[in-house]
C-alpha cells in the first residue's frame, strides 16, 4: 500500500485515510544498493589524485624549503635515469664509400647543372645512330654584330683588324675617316658599332657591312654598303651643339666647396675655382658665410642630349666687407687676369727638384779638389734621372757642356736674373728656347766635377753670384692698350650669361623632329619605274 506524505501529520501519525491505492508487483522499485565497478569513475578519481601532486616544482622559488628539496631530488633522479640510458661513446662507423664507375659518374654528370661560362656540357644527350650524317662544315652566322672600343695608344686600323675586318676594308675605312677628320682627334674610349657580313669563301675575312661611331662631340660618322656587294660609302651626321657657358652662382654656407656642389657644379669645376681663387684670397680667413660665389665654366649641349663641361672661364667672389674678386681666363696661355688687367702672380723660387738641400751657398772645402773655395750655389740631393724644372719663366741662353758643371743649362729671367743648373745627365731644352715656370729642362746626373747624382743650382744678378735662398721675387703680366679693351669687353659679355641657362634642354628644330619620326614601310619601297 502506498501512502503519500500528505496522509501523515507533523507528529508522524497517520491521518485518516481519504483514499488508498494498491501497486502491482512489477511496479515496485528496488531499494538503491552499492554501484557496480566502472573504469570511467576510476580514471576520474586517478586524475584527481594526480592533479593534486606537485611533481615538478619550480626550483627558482622557495630555495631551501621542503618543496624545493623534493623538486631537486626529482631532478637528480631524472638525471640519473637519463645517464643510465645514455648510449655508448664509441665512434659510429660510417657507411663505406660508394664505388663510382664510369657509368655512375656519367649519370651524375647528366643530372648536374653547369653554368654557360664553363661550357654547359651537362645534361642527357641522345647518342648518334647510323642515320646521323656528320656535317662537312658548321654553318656560320650570316652577320656578326659587335661593339669595339678604341684603346689608348691604339690606331684605328689595328683596332679594326683585331675585330675581324679584312685588310682591304680596314685600310679603306681608315682613309675615309682620315679624310673626314684628323685621326689623332679620335679620343681613347670611342666606341664603334661594327657589323660584319657573310663570308664570300671559306677562310676569307668577313666583309664590313656597317660601322657607326661618334667621331666628335658634334659629328657622327657612318660607313656602310648601300647595295649588296657594293663599295663602302661614308655618311656624315653633323650634330647641332650649343656652347652657352654654364654659370653657377650661390651663397656660401658652412663650406664653400659644399655650397658650390649643392648648387649643381661639377666637382672638377669647383676644384678649379678654388685653386684659382686661392691665389688671390685666403679661403680659410677671407671667405665667410653669406658671401656670394660666382663662376663660369665652358659647357656644350648636343641636340642628341649629351652634355660636356670644359675648363673654368670666370671666377668671382662678392663680399660685403672686402673688394669684389673678378678673374677671367684670357690669352693663348690661358692665364687668369683680374678685372683691371693684371695677371696671375707667379712666384720665382720654385724648387728645381723635389729633394733636400745638401750644401748651401758660401765657403767650403771642395770634395774633389780638396781645398776651400767658394760654393756659388745650392746643392739638391736627388736620384739619377730626376726631372729638373725651371724655377720661373725665362729664355735658354746656354745648353751644353760647361767645364766643371758638366752638362748644364743657363736661363735668363726678368730683372737681370740668371740661373744655371749643373751636372745634368741629359738636357731637355735648346739654346734660344723660351721656357715656362715648372717646365722640365733636364735630368739629374753626375757629370763634371761631381761625387754623385745631385743638382748644383746657381743664381746670378748682373753677372754676380748671389745666394738663391735669399731671393724672393714674383712675375705678373699686365694688359694694356687695345688688348686691355678687348679683355674688358669680353668680361662684360661673359657676365651677361644667366645662371643656370645652359642647363635647360636644347630645343629641337623642325628638321631634327622630322628625323626622329619612324620611317613608314611604304616609304621604304622603291618608286615605280616609268615605262
Amino acid at each position: 500500500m502506498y501512502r503519500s506524505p500528505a496522509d501523515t501529520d507533523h507528529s508522524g501519525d497517520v491521518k485518516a485515510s481519504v483514499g488508498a491505492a494498491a501497486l502491482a508487483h512489477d511496479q515496485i522499485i528496488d531499494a538503491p544498493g552499492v554501484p557496480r565497478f566502472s573504469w570511467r569513475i576510476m580514471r576520474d578519481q586517478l586524475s584527481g589524485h594526480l592533479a593534486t601532486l606537485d611533481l615538478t616544482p619550480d626550483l627558482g622559488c622557495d630555495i631551501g624549503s621542503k618543496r624545493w628539496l623534493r623538486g631537486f631530488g626529482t631532478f637528480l633522479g631524472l638525471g640519473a635515469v637519463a645517464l643510465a640510458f645514455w648510449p655508448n661513446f664509441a665512434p659510429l662507423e660510417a657507411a663505406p664509400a660508394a664505388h663510382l664507375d664510369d657509368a655512375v659518374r656519367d649519370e651524375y654528370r647528366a643530372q648536374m647543372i653547369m653554368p654557360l661560362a664553363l661550357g654547359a656540357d651537362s645534361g642527357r644527350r641522345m647518342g648518334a645512330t647510323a642515320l646521323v650524317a656528320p656535317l662537312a662544315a658548321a654553318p656560320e652566322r650570316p652577320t656578326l654584330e659587335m661593339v669595339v672600343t678604341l684603346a689608348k695608344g691604339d690606331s684605328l686600323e689595328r683596332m679594326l683588324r683585331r675585330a675581324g675586318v679584312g685588310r682591304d676594308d680596314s685600310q679603306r675605312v681608315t682613309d675615309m675617316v682620315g679624310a673626314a677628320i684628323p685621326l689623332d682627334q679620335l679620343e681613347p674610349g670611342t666606341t664603334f658599332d661594327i657589323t660584319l657580313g657573310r663570308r664570300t669563301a671559306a677562310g676569307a675575312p668577313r666583309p664590313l657591312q656597317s660601322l657607326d661611331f661618334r667621331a666628335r662631340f658634334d659629328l657622327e660618322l657612318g660607313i656602310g654598303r648601300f647595295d649588296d656587294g657594293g663599295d663602302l660609302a661614308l655618311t656624315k651626321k653633323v650634330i647641332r651643339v650649343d656652347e652657352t657657358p654654364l654659370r653657377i652662382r650661390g651663397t656660401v654656407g658652412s663650406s664653400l666647396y659644399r655650397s658650390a656642389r649643392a648648387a649643381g657644379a661639377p666637382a672638377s669645376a669647383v676644384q678649379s675655382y678654388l685653386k684659382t681663387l686661392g691665389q688671390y684670397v685666403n679661403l680659410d680667413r677671407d671667405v665667410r658665410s653669406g658671401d656670394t660665389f660666382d663662376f663660369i665654366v665652358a659647357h656644350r649641349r648636343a641636340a642628341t642630349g649629351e652634355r660636356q663641361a670644359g675648363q673654368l672661364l670666370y671666377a668671382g667672389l662678392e663680399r660685403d666687407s672686402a673688394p669684389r674678386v673678378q678673374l677671367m681666363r684670357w690669352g693663348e696661355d690661358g692665364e687668369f687676369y683680374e678685372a683691371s688687367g693684371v695677371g696671375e702672380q707667379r712666384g720665382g723660387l720654385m724648387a728645381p727638384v723635389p729633394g733636400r738641400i745638401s750644401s748651401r751657398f758660401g765657403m767650403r772645402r771642395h770634395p774633389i779638389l780638396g781645398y776651400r773655395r767658394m760654393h756659388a750655389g745650392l746643392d739638391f740631393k736627388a736620384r739619377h734621372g730626376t726631372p729638373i724644372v725651371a724655377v720661373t719663366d725665362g729664355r735658354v741662353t746656354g745648353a751644353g757642356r760647361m767645364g766643371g758643371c758638366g752638362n748644364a743649362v743657363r736661363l735668363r729671367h726678368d730683372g737681370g736674373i740668371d740661373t744655371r743648373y749643373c751636372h745634368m745627365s741629359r738636357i731637355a731644352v735648346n739654346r734660344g728656347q723660351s721656357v715656362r715656370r715648372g717646365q722640365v729642362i733636364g735630368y739629374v746626373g753626375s757629370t763634371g766635377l761631381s761625387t754623385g747624382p745631385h743638382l748644383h743650382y746657381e743664381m746670378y744678378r748682373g753677372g754676380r753670384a748671389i745666394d738663391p735662398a735669399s731671393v724672393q721675387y714674383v712675375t705678373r703680366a699686365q694688359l694694356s692698350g687695345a688688348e686691355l679693351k678687348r679683355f674688358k669687353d669680353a668680361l662684360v659679355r661673359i657676365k651677361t650669361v644667366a645662371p643656370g641657362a645652359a642647363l635647360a634642354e636644347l630645343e629641337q628644330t623642325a628638321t631634327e623632329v622630322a628625323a626622329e619620326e619612324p620611317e613608314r614601310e611604304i616609304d621604304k619601297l622603291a618608286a615605280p619605274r616609268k615605262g
Side-chain angles (χ1 to χ4, degrees):
M1 178 178 293
Y2 171 77
R3 295 186 179 89
S4 65
D7 297 336
T8 58
D9 54 9
H10 295 286
S11 60
D13 297 335
V14 180
K15 293 182 180 181
S17 177
V18 177
L23 296 177
H25 183 274
D26 55 356
Q27 294 177 329
I28 300 174
I29 300 176
D30 297 336
V34 179
R36 299 181 181 179
F37 176 77
S38 174
W39 285 102
R40 182 178 62 81
I41 297 176
M42 185 181 67
R43 183 186 60 196
D44 294 341
Q45 294 176 353
L46 183 59
S47 299
H49 288 295
L50 292 177
T52 58
L53 296 179
D54 188 11
L55 297 178
T56 56
D58 186 3
L59 296 182
C61 301
D62 300 334
I63 299 176
S65 62
K66 293 182 178 180
R67 180 174 176 272
W68 184 87
L69 293 175
R70 177 170 53 81
F72 185 70
T74 304
F75 167 73
L76 294 179
L78 293 176
V81 172
L83 292 176
F85 287 96
W86 192 266
N88 191 7
F89 287 95
L92 299 176
E93 295 184 2
H99 175 67
L100 300 179
D101 53 8
D102 293 339
V104 176
R105 190 175 293 105
D106 292 341
E107 181 66 20
Y108 284 164
R109 185 177 182 80
Q111 299 298 330
M112 70 180 181
I113 299 176
M114 292 185 64
L116 294 175
L118 299 180
D121 56 349
S122 59
R124 294 184 179 273
R125 289 173 175 78
M126 181 178 293
T129 64
L131 299 177
V132 177
L135 295 174
E140 292 185 337
R141 297 180 180 179
T143 59
L144 286 180
E145 298 179 357
M146 65 190 74
V147 178
V148 184
T149 303
L150 182 64
K152 185 177 182 180
D154 200 358
S155 67
L156 177 61
E157 185 176 1
R158 288 197 302 267
M159 183 269 295
L160 294 175
R161 294 293 303 278
R162 287 197 304 271
V165 181
R167 182 184 301 273
D168 297 338
D169 287 346
S170 61
Q171 182 62 43
R172 175 65 176 158
V173 169
T174 303
D175 295 340
M176 297 171 68
V177 174
I181 62 169
L183 294 179
D184 55 1
Q185 290 186 6
L186 294 178
E187 298 182 357
T190 303
T191 58
F192 297 78
D193 296 330
I194 301 176
T195 302
L196 301 179
R198 190 187 298 274
R199 299 180 192 271
T200 56
R206 290 177 176 267
L208 178 64
Q209 185 170 334
S210 66
L211 183 145
D212 300 288
F213 67 101
R214 187 76 167 263
R216 290 197 308 259
F217 190 75
D218 59 346
L219 179 64
E220 284 186 358
L221 295 180
I223 299 176
R225 304 180 193 272
F226 296 100
D227 299 325
D228 294 338
D231 198 4
L232 293 173
L234 175 68
T235 57
K236 296 182 179 180
K237 179 183 178 182
V238 179
I239 302 173
R240 188 168 55 93
V241 175
D242 177 73
E243 296 188 355
T244 302
L246 174 61
R247 185 176 186 179
I248 300 175
R249 183 180 175 91
T251 303
V252 179
S254 59
S255 168
L256 177 56
Y257 178 83
R258 293 193 182 96
S259 301
R261 290 287 287 144
S268 59
V270 179
Q271 292 173 359
S272 299
Y273 171 71
L274 296 178
K275 180 179 179 181
T276 302
L277 195 66
Q279 298 180 7
Y280 294 85
V281 299
N282 190 316
L283 298 179
D284 296 330
R285 185 184 66 247
D286 299 336
V287 180
R288 300 178 180 179
S289 298
D291 294 344
T292 301
F293 61 87
D294 186 8
F295 59 95
I296 303 174
V297 296
H299 184 267
R300 296 197 295 174
R301 294 179 293 170
T304 52
E306 295 82 7
R307 298 176 180 271
Q308 190 178 69
Q311 63 181 356
L312 181 69
L313 302 178
Y314 171 82
L317 181 66
E318 299 177 9
R319 298 170 292 177
D320 295 335
S321 58
R324 176 184 302 180
V325 179
Q326 298 182 82
L327 307 172
M328 189 181 73
R329 190 184 297 272
W330 184 258
E332 296 180 355
D333 298 333
E335 296 183 0
F336 280 91
Y337 289 81
E338 298 179 12
S340 60
V342 179
E344 296 180 64
Q345 177 175 305
R346 310 187 67 175
L349 284 183
M350 178 180 180
V353 291
R356 65 178 181 86
I357 298 177
S358 58
S359 181
R360 295 190 174 273
F361 182 87
M363 296 295 295
R364 69 164 189 177
R365 178 179 294 277
H366 197 279
I368 296 179
L369 301 179
Y371 59 85
R372 289 179 60 82
R373 58 179 290 184
M374 184 66 181
H375 184 238
L378 300 176
D379 287 347
F380 289 86
K381 185 179 179 65
R383 288 177 172 269
H384 186 278
T386 302
I388 303 172
V389 300
V391 296
T392 191
D393 300 346
R395 183 173 54 86
V396 181
T397 57
R401 194 81 181 184
M402 299 183 185
C405 271
N407 297 331
V409 171
R410 185 171 57 249
L411 302 180
R412 171 66 54 83
H413 310 283
D414 295 336
I417 299 293
D418 293 319
T419 56
R420 187 167 68 159
Y421 311 79
C422 303
H423 308 309
M424 293 184 177
S425 62
R426 183 160 58 93
I427 298 174
V429 292
N430 299 318
R431 181 185 178 89
Q433 178 180 346
S434 296
V435 296
R436 304 286 293 174
R437 179 176 183 264
Q439 180 178 339
V440 177
I441 59 175
Y443 300 88
V444 172
S446 185
T447 57
L449 294 179
S450 172
T451 59
H454 74 286
L455 170 66
H456 176 73
Y457 167 57
E458 298 176 347
M459 181 174 291
Y460 297 86
R461 176 183 288 141
R464 182 179 179 181
I466 60 175
D467 185 2
S470 64
V471 176
Q472 296 287 341
Y473 63 93
V474 296
T475 58
R476 304 192 74 174
Q478 174 69 55
L479 300 178
S480 60
E483 186 72 10
L484 178 60
K485 184 178 184 305
R486 288 194 298 269
F487 170 78
K488 291 188 175 182
D489 292 342
L491 180 61
V492 173
R493 287 195 303 269
I494 199 172
K495 291 180 64 177
T496 59
V497 177
L503 298 178
E505 293 294 334
L506 191 62
E507 296 183 1
Q508 292 183 330
T509 62
T511 305
E512 293 169 349
V513 173
E516 291 185 355
E517 294 182 357
E519 186 179 5
R520 300 182 302 174
E521 294 296 330
I522 192 173
D523 295 336
K524 297 180 182 179
L525 299 178
R529 297 181 179 179
K530 296 182 180 180

